[in-house]
Amino acid sequence: MELSDANLQTLTEYLKKTLDPDPAIRRPAEKFLESVEGSQNYPLLLLTLLEKSQENVIKVCASVTFKNYIKRNWRIVEDEPNKICESDRIAIKANIVPLMLSSPEQIQKQLSDAISIIGREDFPQKWPDLLTEMVNRFQSGDFHVINGVLRTAHSLFKRYRHEFKSNELWTEIKLVLDAFALPLTNLFKATIELCSTHANDASALKVLFSSLILIAKLFYSLNFQDLPEFFEDNMETWMTNFHTLLTLDNKLLQTDDEEEAGLLELLKSQICDNAALYAQKYDEEFQPYLPRFVTAIWNLLVTTGQEVKYDLLVSNAIQFLASVCERPHYKHLFEDQNTLTSICEKVIVPNMEFRAADEEAFEDNSEEYIRRDLEGSDIDTRRRAACDLVRGLCKFFEGPVTGIFSGYVNSMLQEYAKNPSVNWKHKDAAIYLVTSLASKAQTQKHGITQANELVNLTEFFVNHIQPDLKSPSVNEFPVLKADGIKYIMIFRSQVPKEQLLLSIPLLINHLQAESIVVHTYAAHALERLFTMRGTNNSILITAAEMAPFVEVLLTNLFKALTLPGSSENEYIMKAIMRSFSLLQESIIPYIPSVITQLTQKLLAVSKKQYTFSKVLFVGIFLLISYNCSVIISFPEFIPYVFQVMSLLLEMHKNEIPSSYMALFPHLLQPVLWERTGNIPPLVRLLQAYLERGANTIASAAADKIPGLLGVFQKLIASKANDHQGFYLLNSIIAVSYTHLDVESVDQYRKQIFILLFQRLQNSKTTKFIKSFLVFINLYCIKYGALALQEIFDSIQPKMFGMVLEKIIIPEIQKVSGQVEKKICAVGITKILTECPPMMDTEYTKLWTPLLQALIGLFELPEDDTIPDEEHFIDIEDTPGYQTAFSQLAFAGKKEHDPVGQMVNNPRIHLAQSLHKLSTACPGRVPSMLSTSLNAEALQYLQGYLQAASVTLL
Amino acid sequence: MKASFKTPLQLRPSCQGGRADFSAERSLAKIRLSPRREQHVEALWLLPSLAKMPVVNEPSERMKKFKNRGKDAAALRRQRVEVKVELRKAQKDEQILKRRSISITSMEKSPTPEDKNVIIQLSLEEIVEAVNGNNPELQLQATQAARRMLSRQKDPPLNQIIELGIIPRLVEFLSCADSAQLQFEAAWALTNIASGTSEHTKAVVEGGAIPAFISLLSSPHMHISEQSVWALGNIAGDGPLYRDALINCNVIPPLLALVSPVTPVGFLRNITWTLSNLCRNKNPYPPLDAVRKMLPVLTCLLEHEDKEIIADSCWAVSYLTDGSNDRIQIIVDTGILPRLVELMGSPEMIIMTPALRAIGNVVTGTDEQTQAAIDAGVLAVLPLLLRHTKPTIQKEAAWTLSNIAAGPCQQIQQLITCRLLPPLVELLDKGDFKAQKEAVWAVANFTTGGTVEQVVELVQSGVLKPLLNLLLARDSKTILVILDTISNLFLAAEKLGETERLCLLVEELDGLEKIEALQTHDNNMVYRAALNIIEKYFSGEENPDLQPETDEDGLYKFSVEKHDFNF
């Protein structure tokens, strides 16, 4: 392609077509351009157009096309052809900087991006004069040009902020520093001077401040990796000026916009970052300046308004103070009582205030509000920053800070008491303050786990939280109600149980509040309280204690689902599920009335064909139809549906209703299993099906067995969910043994083991091994040791020996849990005593080691390192055989010890079994014992034999 | 399925400082060891402890090596890395100036016949003329004038004097045994020229000064002998080339001969400093036989009562230990480790610093060498140093600790037994950033090589909170090392079946939200490491080979491919 007018004309035509809204015209034009972009001179034609075209739109279009072209083609990939010819490359590099600088801003930005893409590849080696060329423009005095240079420099240098240190990188930075640091410093000084000479010229100031922002950003990038000598020598200049800028205000730069940060805010915000960088990394050198910055930033905070546009600045500024006040050698800057008081009063308290914007979110965007307030996605908010500052100050000054705040809390509460309807925000701030002061560590699962001992949480609760919640009007002061409920929720582990019990009716009452936040919080608080565990890991709040409230709880929970905005509220659904599981049988009498009431309401209210609630209730109670596409539309809600369904299914004493069976194939749909949150409740539901509907499945849905095993395969492939796979597998095996002995399962057994072996080979984890050991022993108990040996050896010769030697013997000690250990003990006893190949093949050499491992399993202290509080029902369970069954809430406990009836004392059982074996082959057993069992184990074994009153022949 | 390889390390380069009068820049190659992982390499600068004289620019150099971990002998290898780039200042001016002025004053007061009233100002032209002339009086005056210019506090005219071309003449004057004063003035002038940049030193050496100075070591005039020692120190400090040139000219025997019980302390300081420069620099290291000759004297000097002499002897040892394991072994064999450890605990910064450096170098060596340092008591002293107020000391101490933590679990156990964990955690929490970075490495190495029980002990000592806080560090490498450490902790937790508990703990300490936030970090490796932890421990993670396909009904297909199993 020549650089001819004709070609320029053609290119213009095509560019114009790429702007056409009609794809029939646009697409071919785009295709054409792509097809010619490999030609020599193509980029130069674009540059010519963006400079000289008569039409502005073509200029812009050419600049965008150019940038995209550079992005796609500039990089030279090894072993691939160079996509831009060398002469074009040279011409581009020679022309692009002046062109960028002389272009209007819109085009300048595109070219600046293009330069940084090229720079990333070519700078510095292949573009040695770029820096000089840019720096020379600083002299121009034209701030349009200067800003162009600064912007380009920023995009070239910002990678210094995240890349690892390396010789190459540091060589480049050094080069940049040598060429750039001094001119940048001079420019910085000159710009600041210009700011004062143009202090009354708004438009000049805007340009100058844009430059200052870019300069401050460049400072950050250039100082990020280490403190450069140049900047250390010139720290005085930079820091003094930064400090001045922090304290500067100019009416002309103030913006009317309440939301969008103005230039002044952006600049100060960047300066806070720069100071924080120095304070963190170059503390030794920065120490002389730091106190000044602390003062300036704190004054800044005191004088900055509540508007949203200041949020970033304020949060950066507070975070700066928070990080500094935790350092021991700056302690003195804060320790003066007046300083502390002033920080508390002027910085922390104001930024904890509930602002108009919060109020708006509370009312109109409650979902967002809840996410921020409850789930902690508030990292950049002022409240959060203020909260971090409180925590930082508490590191050294917990006593004084608590003291100061107590004063504030009291006075704010008094203000509130004077006139609640006007001053309710004072109380909100007081509660927030107490919360941030008291909480030292927190998790979603347990709420606050460590609290400031200086704060009397219970007293505050009784005096200030409960009264609000006791007020008969649930809709008055919704923000305070939400605060109060949240207080219960997060301090649930710190407040005594009797207070919690007193709160339960209050929470239930607030399920009726109109405010979405309030009833959501109430539901969430109840749900959290119901998961709490007391001593001995028993449920803290019992079904009996809940008995007086069952009806109103259920009524209000279901009613809450009909409140506007909450028809698909997952917190409520979760609370319903949790209540079912806590209350168990006691809900049954209420179900009919609840359903009737709800169905009516739903039919009346619901206009949508498949509202969430409707599907839910139809699904649960009527079981008429089930449509998977609906499930996809409401993913968060679904797990609870499954849980409620399993609870209901487990309550059936008899064979499964056919309406449930219609649903069964749908539960095997991969789409459901792709979401992690669905897995535990779905497994549980399938277990319930297998428990209650084994015969039906065998007779009516035998063709679904592969699908069921497919689900098992899916789960076993996952490290996170393999234990769920075993739950399912254990149910399948248990069921196939007790109920049906399904041939269809039998034919898959070998494949099941192969899968397990694959997992064992590819990625074994302790969790997997534990589950695996329990499973094979369970299998051994059900089908016999010989069956186990035969199936293993049919997969691969000597497989059984390898599993014994490499897995069972070395790993059996890892099994924990009483039932699990018992299963393994009985299983191994069977292998030892009921498996002829153990006596008369090469496996014999494993006999004594296996026995020794079994004795170890008996005699080593119970491994109770897995905390029992992990045994939550449902989603948050700890893997284990017993858990899998205990989650089937309505099944009696005995069923879950599958060896219970068979074997009471596994040690005695071992002794008896050995005795039996020794009678069958006299002499063998004692000789094996005497040759290789270690003395201690032998002693234990003799104890068992004595206890069982048997001897070995 | 073991630890993955990490990216190569950071190099903290050293730079060529400007004119380093009176200050010797010390650099250190650091070695980070951890099994099958990369090493962290970092150089440290410290202020020169002694030297009155202008001195040394040293090309600094880095070394990267892997510490042998137990059975992993095959992985033992080392690499040297030249470091060329440094962004930071190499030295602090105030200190340099102070030392210089002090030494000048003392010089001016030296009992030479020259006197306050006889100071004669000469122009450069007059100097050239006189120096090249034959009038001994004028020669002396001119040499003195040149010396005085070279000794002035600000901008000594090194280049101008060199350009005058008088260096060869000044070197000739060194041999004028009949005029001790001229010898002395010439030696002083040349000393100061040699104190400049490499170019300046080169001019002196090429003027033939080396043999002349070496023979002056045996001058009957002590002040001349002392001045020569000084000049030779400057030449030796220039780098390995001139250092070896001196050694080849047999500088060591006459230099060592000057050391005697009656040598004045000031003189002895100079000798020690020059010896330390003869031990200094790598690529190549000083010849082994030279080192062996100097070591017995250095060992004695370490016992001297003068703190500057002790300090410079420590520096010498620190240079000798800054090398391969066989060089470290030579030092270990002298049996001075207990003395070095004792000096590490000295209240004098100038002694503590190089002693710590030397011991820090020793523990970069083999497990046995590290054990020798442990047996010498290093673990009893380190807690004090980790709590030292000076950031550089904290940093060096943490660096030393990190290398001990890279050892076998028996040594890690000794760290625990000697109660190193509390100061480590404190440092991680409140130390200077440079020291925190080292402490992070110490924790990382600990979690890589420690047993599960040891890792539990580490967590119980409260390491997690400050470690997680440092995820906010403005340093990608540190963040990555922390993320790796967290993964190590999870591996240990998995072994104990305590994954859940660790998850909760990490969340409680606000670590989870920090790790989540790092998923948007601009550095790819950081982002991937964070993502990996989140996926592995805070959500589900799949095993792609075993994933079932779906059949024609859209259900999972239960399908198995047989493998050969071997556990």
Side-chain angles (χ1 to χ4, degrees), chain A residues 173-210:
Chain A
I173 296 177
K174 196 151 173 72
L175 195 107
V176 169
L177 286 167
D178 288 346
F180 206 78
L182 179 63
L184 186 73
T185 308
N186 292 336
L187 178 68
F188 182 50
K189 289 190 278 192
T191 312
I192 286 177
E193 262 168 47
L194 286 170
C195 286
S196 54
T197 50
H198 291 81
N200 299 314
D201 177 350
S203 63
L205 277 182
K206 274 184 195 148
V207 178
L208 293 169
F209 267 76
S210 310

Side-chain angles (χ1 to χ4, degrees), chain A residues 607-811:
Chain A
K607 296 205 171 73
K608 282 187 266 175
Q609 212 32 40
Y610 273 108
T611 67
F612 192 42
S613 321
K614 191 169 173 189
V615 169
L616 171 70
F617 294 118
V618 168
I620 295 174
F621 300 111
L622 308 174
L623 293 167
I624 295 168
S625 70
Y626 209 92
N627 183 332
C628 280
S629 66
V630 176
I631 291 177
I632 303 161
S633 358
F634 301 108
E636 297 75 23
F637 203 51
I638 292 308
Y640 312 118
V641 178
F642 294 136
Q643 291 189 49
V644 173
M645 288 178 65
S646 1
L647 281 165
L648 293 169
L649 186 51
E650 287 153 18
M651 274 185 260
H652 276 274
K653 294 281 183 259
N654 306 315
E655 198 51 28
I656 216 163
S658 60
S659 48
Y660 272 90
M661 279 316 295
L663 195 55
F664 182 68
H666 297 287
L667 298 176
L668 306 175
Q669 292 291 335
V671 64
L672 295 175
W673 295 92
E674 297 299 339
R675 285 188 59 88
T676 337
N678 287 350
I679 289 174
L682 266 175
V683 167
R684 181 177 175 186
L685 182 55
L686 289 183
Q687 283 183 280
Y689 268 91
L690 288 165
E691 282 278 299
R692 293 276 177 257
N695 286 330
T696 323
I697 292 173
S699 58
D703 59 326
K704 296 297 180 281
I705 303 278
L708 186 65
L709 290 168
V711 167
F712 153 74
Q713 180 172 350
K714 163 85 186 163
L715 296 173
I716 219 72
S718 154
K719 281 190 195 166
N721 296 316
D722 50 15
H723 62 289
Q724 297 282 353
F726 278 108
Y727 295 169
L728 191 58
L729 187 57
N730 284 334
S731 285
I732 294 171
I733 295 292
V735 156
S736 67
Y737 180 77
T738 53
H739 292 260
L740 32 139
D741 220 339
V742 198
E743 270 178 37
S744 47
V745 173
D746 276 0
Q747 72 192 62
Y748 293 115
R749 278 185 194 163
K750 200 159 140 185
Q751 282 157 286
I752 289 173
F753 280 110
I754 293 175
L755 264 178
L756 296 178
F757 292 149
Q758 277 177 325
R759 230 334 273 282
L760 212 48
Q761 175 133 323
N762 297 349
S763 56
K764 81 178 159 180
T765 60
T766 303
K767 175 161 82 93
F768 182 85
I769 288 176
K770 283 164 138 179
S771 303
F772 174 79
L773 288 172
V774 173
F775 171 72
I776 58 171
N777 282 299
L778 193 62
Y779 188 93
C780 174
I781 293 166
K782 301 267 185 203
Y783 294 97
L786 193 56
L788 189 71
Q789 177 262 323
E790 281 171 357
I791 197 165
F792 279 20
D793 285 347
S794 73
I795 288 168
Q796 183 177 308
K798 311 210 174 93
M799 187 72 177
F800 185 63
M802 181 159 70
V803 174
L804 281 178
E805 188 183 349
K806 298 288 172 53
I807 311 289
I808 300 184
I809 294 171
E811 309 275 15

Side-chain angles (χ1 to χ4, degrees), chain B residues 210 213-214 217 232 243 245-257 274 278:
Chain B
I210 291 182
F213 274 125
I214 292 181
L217 288 176
L232 291 167
R243 177 201 65 203
L246 290 175
I247 291 172
N248 291 334
C249 290
N250 228 2
V251 71
I252 293 176
L255 189 60
L256 295 180
T274 297
L278 287 168

